[in-house]
Amino acid sequence: MKRILVLFAHPALQQSRANRSLLKAIDGMPGVTLHDLYQLYPDQMIDAAREQAQLAAHDIIVFQHPFYWFSAPALLKEWCDMVLQYGYAYGEEATALQGKQWLSAITTGGTAQSYTPEGYNRHPTIDYLLPYRQTASLCGMTWLPPFVMHSFDASHDNIDVDQVGREYRRLLEALRDDRLPTQRLAEVTYLRELLEEC
């Protein structure tokens, strides 16, 4: 069984039905450690040694967050700046993260259609995740197709957040239990496309 670390970053969780639902779905899940950065670091002073110890103890790192301005909340960026240091995460002698898997699990207010060349965001969501994919590569990590949940703002009340939570749990269970069809990863853009094969 692989060990999963969920690095969760949301500065206003009480306002996010999507992320609350996702966290509820994986609450108490064996093999999964939830690491709420805003709860752990209200002063935003990241303990790099503590975080590196957490990374060492896990095989799969899930970066779960809302998609703020085509990126992540500020504390997750600070986490990357402080924890993924030269000589530890990257560089000639750095092997600490080699072979670990990186999964971005994000929620967006915009619809999937808005993240197309014809939509108002002008690019697919995957394009905006390129900095994270490159960071994973630089650290010697395996980039997994992201788990993206669109249409999660208040104007989309028809979204079944509990159903999406169940999908999220199924995919994390498949990753944990090594049941994900790895030979298909290069063929899909988003991880949810493999849901029926897990």
Side-chain angles (χ1 to χ4, degrees):
M1 183 169 74
K2 292 184 177 178
R3 298 155 300 171
I4 299 175
L5 176 64
V6 177
L7 287 173
F8 176 66
H10 199 308
L13 180 57
Q14 68 280 5
Q15 298 173 16
S16 175
R17 67 187 182 118
N19 278 283
R20 286 196 317 270
S21 178
L22 296 181
L23 293 179
K24 179 182 175 186
I26 63 171
D27 184 41
M29 187 174 154
V32 174
T33 302
L34 176 61
H35 206 58
D36 186 336
L37 295 179
Y38 278 92
Q39 184 179 58
L40 289 166
Y41 300 111
D43 58 359
Q44 300 195 16
M45 301 296 290
I46 305 273
D47 182 340
R50 174 185 183 179
E51 297 303 305
Q52 290 170 357
Q54 284 286 347
L55 292 173
H58 295 84
D59 308 298
I60 301 165
I61 315 303
V62 178
F63 295 81
Q64 182 186 330
H65 59 89
F67 207 41
Y68 279 5
W69 290 107
F70 312 104
S71 188
L75 191 57
L76 189 54
K77 174 63 167 69
E78 178 74 2
W79 184 94
C80 289
D81 291 344
M82 301 304 297
V83 177
L84 303 180
Q85 300 167 356
Y86 179 81
Y88 166 76
Y90 69 101
E92 290 183 20
E93 305 297 323
T95 59
L97 301 178
Q98 295 263 335
K100 294 184 186 291
Q101 295 175 305
W102 176 307
L103 171 63
S104 287
I106 63 171
T107 57
T108 75
T111 63
Q113 178 59 31
S114 74
Y115 285 95
T116 64
E118 300 78 28
Y120 61 80
N121 292 311
R122 301 177 57 194
H123 298 277
T125 312
I126 192 73
D127 286 2
Y128 291 109
L129 295 174
L130 182 57
Y132 301 106
R133 184 172 191 164
Q134 181 58 25
T135 300
S137 176
L138 188 64
C139 295
M141 300 175 73
T142 300
W143 168 264
L144 297 171
F147 183 77
V148 179
M149 299 140 285
H150 290 105
S151 305
F152 277 115
D153 67 8
S155 66
H156 297 98
D157 289 333
N158 60 329
I159 300 297
D160 186 346
V161 292
D162 292 332
Q163 173 61 30
V164 176
R166 288 189 292 273
E167 292 177 10
Y168 186 46
R169 184 181 178 103
R170 277 180 56 196
L171 286 169
L172 290 190
E173 287 173 341
L175 283 168
R176 178 197 66 193
D177 300 339
D178 212 15
R179 288 186 286 110
L180 202 66
T182 53
Q183 72 282 4
R184 297 258 291 117
L185 289 176
E187 302 170 19
V188 300
T189 304
Y190 302 107
L191 203 57
R192 288 173 78 183
E193 296 172 48
L194 296 178
L195 191 62
E196 297 307 314
E197 300 179 41
C198 298

